[in-house]
Amino acid sequence: MRRTPMTKRKACFIACILPCAAVYYCIKYTFRAVEETLDAVDSARQRHRIKTRKRPKSKPLAVIPSVSKRTSASAPIKTSFLHLPPEIRLMIYRLVFGGPAIMQVRSTYSMRGPRPETWVSGQGIRDDADEPSKALRLIIGLGGSPLRQLVAPPSVGCVIYGYVSRLICGEKHCFAITRYHDDEAVHYTDLMRTSRAVYGEALDLLYAEHTISLFGVEMARYFCRNASPEGMKRIRFAHVALIIPSSSWDSPSQKKSIKDTMKLLRHSLPHLLQLDIEVAVTWGQPKDTGLFWSWLTDDGVLGQFRGLEKFVLKASAYLPFTMRPRGNCEAWTPQYELLESWDDGEYQALKTRVTSLDEAMASS
């Protein structure tokens, strides 16, 4: 039987489309496999860096020497940056580092962003009335982690979304503390390499005036091992996000990791004034919610802090997705609910213990 013209056209169309479709899907899945491989390699490299990197030994800061007097009237006067009045040097440091901001620590380079405009003067952390971090929910919903804080929604067809670059504490878009010039990365903190005198003067601006945001126990330990010992003594404001699996929170390794991290922060930040703890339980309510709440507020975990000026705790259970999201970032932001075992009375008692000066003097 002879084929009709319509059948021939369909056969030609299929013969042309099938190879193109095969090439398209081959390229698509090849690129996806390469991207997943690169992500795995980068995660392994970051994990190795976080576990092994440690600041080198250095001498403690010395007192800035006073300017020597001239021994002769004819001797030339040597001037340097340190001869400028302290007020002018402070203005220069502020131009370099910027005003009070939120610094989110990463293993490669930290991210910096503005504090919320609603914060009053002297406020370095959120209030109890503020909602839990939406940016943190988005990053976790997209499969992010302390090792992989910059994430992007999966592409939909030819639509490719950019990376999520929001601070988990300030909810603002952030930028890296670096600029590029002539293909070389220039970090603003390189100014502190000028001399130990400049280093000492700039520490207050870099540590005391900023809110240090730590994403997970990994970043908290990494920061305490690599940050300046003198700088950590100047930190006054800190935000810590704890990501706790709902099904394995009571495993000995998980509980020990969080307990040891809180103890490390307490010893490393002796002059901390304001502490913001955000607990994100993934996914769903933790098993044995009552035991979870008792363990969380116990003196061995959050209750071990003393003498703070302000303390805020937010504990949320992230709800699992009912179906795979599609679309922009908003679709990947999971819903949340308050911890079932949350008790306002016990929370206020915890705040009282943590902010009590009498108990701080007794424990010391």
Side-chain angles (χ1 to χ4, degrees):
M1 180 182 293
R2 299 180 60 183
R3 292 184 178 179
T4 63
M6 182 62 69
T7 305
K8 291 182 179 180
R9 283 196 292 268
K10 288 182 179 180
C12 293
F13 177 78
I14 294 174
C16 295
I17 289 298
L18 284 180
C20 295
V23 172
Y24 168 77
Y25 282 104
C26 181
I27 295 176
K28 176 181 178 180
Y29 289 107
T30 299
F31 275 103
R32 182 175 298 178
V34 171
E35 182 179 1
E36 292 176 354
T37 302
L38 293 177
D39 286 342
V41 172
D42 183 68
S43 297
R45 185 171 65 249
Q46 298 297 338
R47 190 175 296 107
H48 176 76
R49 179 187 180 93
I50 289 174
K51 289 183 178 180
T52 59
R53 186 176 181 184
K54 189 176 182 180
R55 63 174 175 266
K57 294 183 179 180
S58 61
K59 297 180 180 179
L61 290 178
V63 179
I64 301 176
S66 58
V67 181
S68 59
K69 298 181 179 180
R70 289 183 296 166
T71 57
S72 174
S74 60
I77 301 176
K78 295 182 179 181
T79 59
S80 68
F81 177 75
L82 295 177
H83 285 78
L84 294 174
E87 295 79 6
I88 296 180
R89 295 202 301 270
L90 184 62
M91 292 175 60
I92 295 175
Y93 296 143
R94 287 190 183 279
L95 290 174
V96 174
F97 296 115
I102 296 174
M103 310 288 289
Q104 185 168 316
V105 178
R106 295 181 68 240
S107 60
T108 50
Y109 56 83
S110 296
M111 299 183 294
R112 179 181 184 273
R115 288 178 176 173
E117 298 178 355
T118 56
W119 287 11
V120 299
S121 177
Q123 180 178 353
I125 62 174
R126 299 170 299 178
D127 293 322
D128 284 325
D130 295 328
E131 293 185 357
S133 173
K134 185 177 181 180
L136 181 63
R137 284 191 287 139
L138 172 59
I139 295 173
I140 298 300
L142 287 169
S145 66
L147 303 179
R148 187 167 170 258
Q149 300 181 22
L150 296 178
V151 290
S155 59
V156 179
C158 297
V159 180
I160 300 177
Y161 300 97
Y163 282 98
V164 177
S165 57
R166 300 178 190 172
L167 294 173
I168 61 176
C169 181
E171 305 288 347
K172 295 284 187 178
H173 288 277
C174 61
F175 54 88
I177 315 178
T178 179
R179 60 183 174 87
Y180 291 90
H181 180 69
D182 295 334
D183 298 328
E184 294 182 359
V186 180
H187 296 266
Y188 295 120
T189 51
D190 287 345
L191 172 66
M192 302 175 69
R193 300 176 183 269
T194 305
S195 67
R196 294 187 67 83
V198 173
Y199 175 81
E201 290 182 340
L203 277 179
D204 279 337
L205 292 181
L206 191 62
Y207 286 89
E209 294 194 356
H210 295 320
T211 299
I212 307 300
S213 180
L214 304 171
F215 190 157
V217 295
E218 296 89 345
M219 284 300 109
R221 291 195 294 263
Y222 177 80
F223 177 76
C224 292
R225 288 201 314 265
N226 292 278
S228 162
E230 297 87 1
M232 287 191 291
K233 294 179 182 179
R234 289 166 164 82
I235 292 177
R236 299 182 297 163
F237 316 115
H239 165 262
V240 183
L242 301 176
I243 316 302
I244 305 177
S246 61
S247 59
S248 60
W249 71 266
D250 57 347
S251 65
S253 59
Q254 182 75 30
K255 296 170 68 174
K256 184 178 185 301
S257 176
I258 295 177
K259 182 178 179 179
D260 292 347
T261 300
M262 293 297 102
K263 183 178 180 180
L264 178 63
L265 286 174
R266 180 169 62 89
H267 288 294
S268 301
L269 313 179
H271 296 128
L272 186 66
L273 295 180
Q274 300 182 17
L275 177 61
D276 182 348
I277 299 290
E278 177 156 8
V279 177
V281 182
T282 56
W283 297 87
Q285 294 287 343
K287 62 178 182 179
D288 300 325
T289 55
L291 292 177
F292 176 81
W293 174 254
S294 300
W295 165 77
L296 185 65
T297 57
D298 185 71
D299 286 348
V301 187
L302 299 184
Q304 62 182 289
F305 291 92
R306 292 291 188 272
L308 297 181
E309 176 186 278
K310 182 178 180 181
F311 175 77
V312 173
L313 169 63
K314 300 181 186 298
S316 307
Y318 292 179
L319 303 181
F321 294 108
T322 56
M323 61 180 64
R324 179 179 173 86
R326 297 181 64 86
N328 57 13
C329 294
E330 297 299 327
W332 288 87
T333 306
Q335 299 296 319
Y336 73 97
E337 60 186 14
L338 188 66
L339 201 66
E340 287 183 354
S341 55
W342 180 277
D343 187 294
D344 285 332
E346 294 182 0
Y347 173 50
Q348 294 302 324
L350 172 64
K351 287 172 69 76
T352 301
R353 294 200 313 270
V354 170
T355 57
S356 174
L357 294 178
D358 294 336
E359 291 201 20
M361 296 177 62
S363 62
S364 61

